Amino acid sequence: MMACSIFIIALAVISCQKVQYKSRDTSYLKPPPPDTTPVVIDTSAVLSNCDQLDGWSVVNGGQLLTTGQKEGKGYIQGSIAPGGNFMQFALSLTTPVNTKQTLATGELKFWFYIQDVSQLTTSGQIQFGSANDPDNKRVGWGLDKVLPLCHNGWNHLELRFTDGYLSGDGGPDLTAMNYMRIFFNTTANVTTAQMYGIDDVRVDVANPVMINNCDQLDGWNVVNGGQLLTKGQQEGAGYIQGTIASGGNFMQFALSLATPIDTKTTLPVGYLEFWWYIQDVSQLTTSGQIQFSSANDPDNKRVGWGLDKVLPTCHNGWNHLKLKFTDGYLSGDGGPDLTAMNYMRIFYNTTANVTSAQNYGIDDIEVHVK
């Protein structure tokens, strides 16, 4: 009887245990994490993707190659045959293209393949026009300025309209562009065939000009000395940090450049952009300024912005400032020479002497056009 009782109790305990069932979903798959990659909006205007020969006139006929291209399905190849010394790629469009840029903001971009740079003279040109003609309504660039930047193989040319020369009739109508040509010679008749290529011809807003990447302390004058930090930066290898020590109330970042920089822009279309780190916005007064100058001096040849307009848009942490030159004020001498900028300063105070150290940072100072 005792044995039977133990057996019955054991059965009761087992029957009360929770039965574990496997999920009917045997895939063990988890939903993918959300895609946080920033969306890149392409604002460029394509003249030719070079995926077909339509519209192209190339020395010795040219051909479409579908391997080795830099974009899309192919590229246009031209060859100088043995005994020859001239190459030309010319594009004529039946439907003009609106580049949606101005001479002050745009640039012509394309890929250019060169088999042997050493064999080319610098007397050729690149021409871009709206008259379906190489000599009228044109902006152009001499290869004497372009070839020294090139190497054997594919080169991505980015030609600012502001760096080009205009035809005597005032230059092109950028809302109706229909012609592009590049032509050049070799230093002598070639003894073996020489290959060249064109791919992905388009117009886009001109790339920014770097003023300082903040990857080194050279040229910087920062309150309490400043330091270069290599973690937490917004671009490149580091950023410049400045600290208001406990009991202090003033911060300044000042950059003096030994070699002036041509910003390649004008006051109506230019922007000064940089990253500014603020530990605590609530501790700052609005009486400071941001100054950008060509006199290596904060008070002359300057465009500036008061922090009373800037700080209300800022938050704790990194802020990407985009300061229009047209929103700034000019010094009484007419403002800066934007072809020779050599000074930038930001200075400000806290509302009271700080009771603990406050950190600030600067990174990636550039001039943009928009």
Side-chain angles (χ1 to χ4, degrees):
M1 291 179 63
M2 182 178 292
C4 289
S5 298
I6 292 172
F7 180 72
I8 292 170
I9 292 170
L11 287 175
V13 170
I14 292 171
S15 65
C16 291
Q17 290 180 343
K18 184 177 180 180
V19 177
Q20 300 292 329
Y21 293 99
K22 288 186 177 181
S23 169
R24 292 178 181 175
D25 178 12
T26 60
S27 68
Y28 302 103
L29 296 178
K30 294 181 180 180
D35 185 1
T36 59
T37 304
V39 176
V40 177
I41 299 174
D42 185 1
T43 59
S44 61
V46 176
L47 277 300
S48 175
N49 57 18
C50 302
D51 290 348
Q52 60 284 316
L53 284 167
D54 296 352
W56 284 98
S57 173
V58 184
V59 166
N60 296 322
Q63 58 180 322
L64 175 67
L65 295 190
T66 56
T67 58
Q69 64 269 23
K70 300 304 292 184
E71 169 283 336
K73 299 178 180 178
Y75 75 96
I76 309 300
Q77 185 189 77
S79 302
I80 299 179
N85 69 357
F86 179 69
M87 173 50 59
Q88 174 178 278
F89 294 85
L91 173 66
S92 178
L93 299 174
T94 55
T95 303
V97 172
N98 182 356
T99 68
K100 300 182 180 179
Q101 296 297 328
T102 67
L103 289 172
T105 65
E107 66 182 15
L108 177 66
K109 300 182 179 182
F110 63 94
W111 287 95
F112 178 29
Y113 181 86
I114 309 172
Q115 183 173 323
D116 186 350
V117 173
S118 69
Q119 293 205 33
L120 302 189
T121 73
T122 58
S123 58
Q125 295 180 49
I126 300 167
Q127 301 166 327
F128 187 39
S130 58
N132 215 349
D133 181 291
D135 298 318
N136 298 294
K137 293 291 182 182
R138 173 196 75 194
V139 58
W141 302 265
L143 289 190
D144 58 325
K145 301 296 194 299
V146 176
L147 278 179
L149 305 176
C150 293
H151 55 266
N152 295 348
W154 282 111
N155 300 269
H156 194 218
L157 302 189
E158 299 175 349
L159 307 174
R160 285 178 177 260
F161 297 149
T162 53
D163 288 337
Y165 55 86
L166 302 181
S167 51
D169 50 18
D173 174 2
L174 291 172
T175 69
M177 301 301 285
N178 58 12
Y179 190 83
M180 182 262 192
R181 178 171 76 147
I182 177 171
F183 65 92
F184 47 92
N185 288 84
T186 54
T187 55
N189 291 349
V190 299
T191 56
T192 59
Q194 294 290 305
M195 306 299 178
Y196 305 89
I198 298 287
D199 200 6
D200 192 30
V201 183
R202 64 182 64 220
V203 170
D204 204 352
V205 64
N207 282 331
V209 172
M210 179 66 72
I211 305 300
N212 190 270
N213 58 16
C214 301
D215 290 348
Q216 60 283 317
L217 283 167
D218 296 351
W220 283 99
N221 178 11
V222 184
V223 166
N224 295 323
Q227 58 180 322
L228 176 67
L229 296 190
T230 55
K231 290 185 179 180
Q233 64 268 26
Q234 292 300 296
E235 72 78 47
Y239 74 96
I240 309 299
Q241 185 187 76
T243 302
I244 301 179
S246 179
N249 69 357
F250 178 68
M251 173 50 60
Q252 173 180 276
F253 294 86
L255 173 66
S256 178
L257 299 173
T259 304
I261 292 176
D262 182 356
T263 67
K264 299 184 182 293
T265 190
T266 60
L267 288 171
V269 299
Y271 286 65
L272 178 66
E273 298 195 9
F274 64 95
W275 288 93
W276 182 25
Y277 180 85
I278 308 172
Q279 183 171 321
D280 186 350
V281 173
S282 69
Q283 293 205 35
L284 300 189
T285 72
T286 58
S287 59
Q289 296 181 48
I290 300 167
Q291 301 166 327
F292 191 38
S293 162
S294 59
N296 213 352
D297 180 291
D299 297 319
N300 299 294
K301 293 292 182 182
R302 173 196 74 195
V303 58
W305 301 264
L307 290 190
D308 57 325
K309 300 296 194 299
V310 176
L311 273 178
T313 68
C314 293
H315 55 267
N316 295 347
W318 282 109
N319 300 269
H320 195 207
L321 302 189
K322 300 179 180 182
L323 307 174
K324 289 183 180 182
F325 294 151
T326 52
D327 287 340
Y329 55 86
L330 301 181
S331 51
D333 51 16
D337 175 1
L338 291 173
T339 69
M341 301 302 285
N342 58 12
Y343 189 85
M344 183 261 191
R345 178 170 77 147
I346 176 171
F347 65 93
Y348 45 94
N349 288 83
T350 53
T351 54
N353 291 349
V354 299
T355 56
S356 61
Q358 295 289 307
N359 294 320
Y360 303 89
I362 298 287
D363 200 7
D364 191 31
I365 303 170
E366 299 177 334
V367 169
H368 290 240
V369 293
K370 292 180 182 177

